């Protein structure tokens, strides 16, 4: 399509610029931050609705900046994407998250965000394979969260995602329903989960329209045999509505904010969510 073509050209052009010119200040700063171990992962629990138990965690990056303090992804991910450095950053996260999770004596899953730029790299499957082998994490415990974007056509990432899926790794569409090609992604891509964006969830208590959208998404996913996680649950009413609508997996501040893994109560000792 015209949109996809434009996206590819943009990335190609961007790559050329990066090679031709010197590295940007932000890229140097990010490289240095990796070298100096300034990035940390916070983990947010994902809850199985029925048992109200933790099924896994989503890894969310923070930058422990020496001068500016703890920075949230919104404060540096856009710049990392702009510089193309997001690919390396995501791989650092993947490695770190797999290593940290493999070290725990539970079988919980780990979800890692992969930027669209990284999906265009043909060596991503090999990187995932090596990471799993090096850390000893079972492939079935890993899930990659990808965000729909106009910059990546389905065709461009189909082969890569299929190889990763064939290893047994899960593929989740993040922020489902807010992106560029939500439904068409489901035609060909080996999607195992959709994550319903907080925008829909925050409205379900007051807006019948929101609840209808969520119910329809749940029905669609059921038909396609795809799992669903609802994001951004902040209160009991939202949780009750989602449970009644048949949503099997939930995530949000109501169950736990992202925090260091070593600050988490071990799974078998936890009696509540926090
Ligand atoms: P996301 O993947 O949609 O992650 C969910 C975001 O919503 C997280 O923000 C999380 O802390 C926040 N959140 C979770 N539950 C609630 C809730 O109940 N209420 C509210 N208001 N917010 C909630 P965070 O950690 O600031 O991350 C923001 C975004 O940055 C992420 O959105 C993701 O797109 C991106 N990101 C984070 N880590 C990475 C990474 O390692 N790689 C890439 N490429 N992107 C990342
Ligand atoms: Ca995510
Ligand atoms: Ca999300
Ligand atoms: Ca998001």
């Amino acid at each position: 399509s015209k949109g996809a073509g434009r996206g590819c050209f943009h990335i190609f052009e961007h790559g050329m610029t990066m090679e031709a010119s010197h590295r940007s200040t932000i890229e140097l700063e990010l490289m240095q931050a990796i070298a100096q171990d300034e990035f940390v992962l916070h983990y947010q629990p994902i809850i199985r609705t029925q048992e109200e138990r933790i099924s896994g965690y989503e890894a969310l990056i923070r930058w422990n900046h020496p001068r500016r303090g703890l920075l949230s992804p919104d404060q540096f991910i856009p710049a990392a994407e702009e510089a193309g450095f997001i690919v390396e950053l995501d791989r650092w996260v993947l490695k770190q998250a797999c290593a940290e999770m493999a070290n725990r004596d539970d079988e919980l899953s780990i979800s890692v965000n992969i930027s669209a730029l990284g999906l265009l790299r043909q060596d991503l499957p090999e990187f995932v394979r090596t990471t799993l082998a090096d850390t000893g994490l079972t492939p079935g415990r890993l899930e990659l969260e990808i965000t729909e974007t106009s910059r990546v056509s389905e065709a461009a990432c189909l082969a890569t995602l299929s190889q990763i899926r064939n290893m047994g790794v899960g593929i989740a569409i993040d922020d489902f329903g807010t992106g560029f090609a939500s439904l068409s992604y489901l035609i060909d891509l080996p999607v195992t989960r959709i994550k319903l964006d907080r925008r829909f969830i925050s409205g379900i208590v007051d807006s019948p329209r929101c609840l209808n959208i969520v119910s329809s998404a749940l029905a669609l996913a059921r038909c396609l045999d795809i799992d669903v996680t609802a994001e951004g649950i902040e209160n009991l009413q939202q949780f009750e509505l989602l449970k009644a609508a048949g949503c099997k997996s939930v995530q949000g501040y109501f169950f736990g904010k992202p925090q260091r893994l070593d600050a988490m109560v071990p799974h078998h000792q936890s009696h509540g969510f926090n």
Side-chain angles (χ1 to χ4, degrees), residues 19-85:
E19 261 170 278
S21 72
H22 56 282
R23 293 181 190 275
S24 63
T25 311
I26 181 72
E27 196 186 6
L28 284 173
E29 227 192 316
L30 290 164
M31 281 172 66
Q32 202 177 35
I34 283 197
Q36 294 172 354
D37 244 354
E38 288 169 12
F39 291 106
V40 290
L41 294 185
H42 284 191
Y43 293 83
Q44 186 175 35
I46 298 170
I47 310 295
R48 218 180 281 116
T49 308
Q50 283 307 317
E51 302 92 329
E52 303 195 9
R53 300 283 292 190
I54 297 173
S55 61
Y57 295 102
E58 176 176 1
L60 294 156
I61 194 170
R62 275 97 181 89
W63 182 354
N64 206 345
H65 197 281
R67 280 170 289 110
R68 295 161 65 201
L70 197 66
L71 304 181
S72 71
D74 297 341
Q75 293 172 281
F76 60 90
I77 292 277
E81 279 180 335
E82 189 58 36
F85 192 72

Side-chain angles (χ1 to χ4, degrees), residues 6-211:
R6 246 201 332 265
C8 286
F9 176 70
H10 175 75
I11 285 158
F12 178 63
E13 186 181 58
H14 185 72
M16 300 268 298
T17 313
M18 285 311 300
E19 261 170 278
S21 72
H22 56 282
R23 293 181 190 275
S24 63
T25 311
I26 181 72
E27 196 186 6
L28 284 173
E29 227 192 316
L30 290 164
M31 281 172 66
Q32 202 177 35
I34 283 197
Q36 294 172 354
D37 244 354
E38 288 169 12
F39 291 106
V40 290
L41 294 185
H42 284 191
Y43 293 83
Q44 186 175 35
I46 298 170
I47 310 295
R48 218 180 281 116
T49 308
Q50 283 307 317
E51 302 92 329
E52 303 195 9
R53 300 283 292 190
I54 297 173
S55 61
Y57 295 102
E58 176 176 1
L60 294 156
I61 194 170
R62 275 97 181 89
W63 182 354
N64 206 345
H65 197 281
R67 280 170 289 110
R68 295 161 65 201
L70 197 66
L71 304 181
S72 71
D74 297 341
Q75 293 172 281
F76 60 90
I77 292 277
E81 279 180 335
E82 189 58 36
F85 192 72
I86 189 69
V87 176
E88 273 157 89
L89 203 55
D90 283 346
R91 289 183 184 201
W92 178 87
V93 172
L94 182 66
K95 234 176 178 166
Q96 183 73 17
C98 288
E100 287 194 68
M101 287 302 286
N103 269 339
R104 284 168 66 90
D105 62 349
D106 56 39
E107 291 296 303
L108 301 189
S109 65
I110 177 65
S111 302
V112 175
N113 294 283
I114 300 287
S115 152
L117 265 186
L119 296 179
L120 294 175
R121 297 273 288 261
Q122 286 182 0
D123 63 342
L124 182 64
E126 195 45 46
F127 185 83
V128 171
R129 192 188 308 281
T130 308
T131 303
L132 290 170
D134 289 351
T135 59
L137 191 83
T138 315
R141 291 178 60 193
L142 177 64
E143 177 174 84
L144 302 188
E145 296 193 2
I146 65 173
T147 306
E148 308 157 26
T149 162
S150 61
R151 293 171 81 184
V152 172
S153 68
E154 293 133 64
C157 53
L158 176 60
T160 304
L161 285 179
S162 297
Q163 286 175 61
I164 293 169
R165 177 66 201 125
N166 286 339
M167 295 174 205
V169 173
I171 308 289
I173 305 284
D174 206 352
D175 303 340
F176 182 78
T178 65
F180 192 72
S182 40
L183 291 179
S184 74
Y185 264 53
L186 300 179
I187 299 174
D188 292 320
L189 296 185
V191 174
T192 51
R193 177 182 306 277
I194 58 179
K195 298 194 73 172
L196 284 180
D197 194 73
R198 178 161 55 91
R199 214 172 306 179
F200 299 115
I201 307 309
S202 62
I204 57 174
V205 174
D206 297 317
S207 157
R209 288 180 76 83
C210 263
L211 187 55

Side-chain angles (χ1 to χ4, degrees), residues 243-270:
K243 210 165 26 174
C247 185
K248 296 204 174 83
S249 171
V250 288
Q251 179 180 2
Y253 291 170
F254 182 60
F255 307 103
K257 289 194 173 180
Q259 54 178 324
R260 296 296 304 260
L261 201 53
D262 50 31
M264 301 278 181
V265 179
H267 184 48
H268 55 276
Q269 288 175 19
S270 76

